[in-house]
């Protein structure tokens, strides 16, 4: 809600689409790297063919990352005051530790996609509608 109210509904919808497409593409690239390039002795190989990527959680991680770059710089996270830029990474670690079956790479790809959109110039491609 905070990201949508800050940027507007149409911008938010397009931002969701960008994060979804870029995050999904990055996730596939990361898994292909693990399958074909990363040594089997270090955890690579064909076992990643069995990974299924579905859901909206990578986009949520991307939206949290975009939100973490807005003012103010600090927020309350489970009662602790932390810098907002750390929140997506704290969430990534906590979810990975307590929910072992979730896709670390999918969530991490959402974070990386949002950072590329925000700081890699793609943010400038998104239309801004200040009247919405």
């Amino acid at each position: 809600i905070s990201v949508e109210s800050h940027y507007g509904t149409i911008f938010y919808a397009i931002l969701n689409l960008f994060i979804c497409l870029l995050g999904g593409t990055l996730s596939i690239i990361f898994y292909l790297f693990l399958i074909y390039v990363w040594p089997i002795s270090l955890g690579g190989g064909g076992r990643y063919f069995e990974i299924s990527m579905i859901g909206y959680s990578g986009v949520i991680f991307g939206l949290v990352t975009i939100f973490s770059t807005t003012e103010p710089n600090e927020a309350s996270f489970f009662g602790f005051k932390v810098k907002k830029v750390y929140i997506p990474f704290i969430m990534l670690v906590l979810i990975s530790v307590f929910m072992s079956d979730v896709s670390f790479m999918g969530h991490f790809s959402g974070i990386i996609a949002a950072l590329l959109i925000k700081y890699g110039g793609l943010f400038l491609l998104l239309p801004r509608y200040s009247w919405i």
Side-chain angles (χ1 to χ4, degrees):
I1 293 173
S2 299
V3 177
E4 183 178 4
S5 63
H6 184 76
Y7 292 112
T9 302
I10 293 176
F11 183 85
Y12 177 75
I14 295 171
L15 181 63
N16 270 269
L17 180 65
F18 267 51
I19 293 172
C20 181
L21 294 175
L22 186 57
T25 303
L26 287 172
S27 211
I28 290 170
I29 290 169
F30 288 150
Y31 280 122
L32 288 174
F33 176 81
L34 287 173
I35 291 169
Y36 293 111
V37 178
W38 198 254
I40 293 173
S41 61
L42 295 176
R47 68 186 178 115
Y48 292 105
F49 279 121
E50 299 172 9
I51 301 291
S52 60
M53 296 182 296
I54 188 166
Y56 188 69
S57 59
V59 176
I60 292 173
F61 270 82
L63 293 172
V64 168
T65 303
I66 295 288
F67 175 70
S68 72
T69 63
T70 60
E71 295 293 328
N73 294 332
E74 292 184 342
S76 177
F77 188 73
F78 291 110
F80 297 100
K81 197 156 190 98
V82 296
K83 290 190 179 268
K84 283 173 47 176
V85 296
Y86 299 136
I87 290 176
F89 299 101
I90 294 169
M91 287 174 49
L92 180 65
V93 169
L94 289 176
I95 287 176
S96 296
V97 168
F98 292 111
M99 301 171 74
S100 61
D101 291 341
V102 299
S103 173
F104 174 86
M105 198 63 70
H107 295 156
F108 184 68
S109 296
I111 291 172
I112 298 301
L115 291 173
L116 286 172
I117 289 168
K118 180 73 177 190
Y119 298 111
L122 293 174
F123 210 63
L124 301 173
L125 297 176
L126 295 172
R128 298 234 176 181
Y129 296 96
S130 59
W131 47 270
I132 294 178

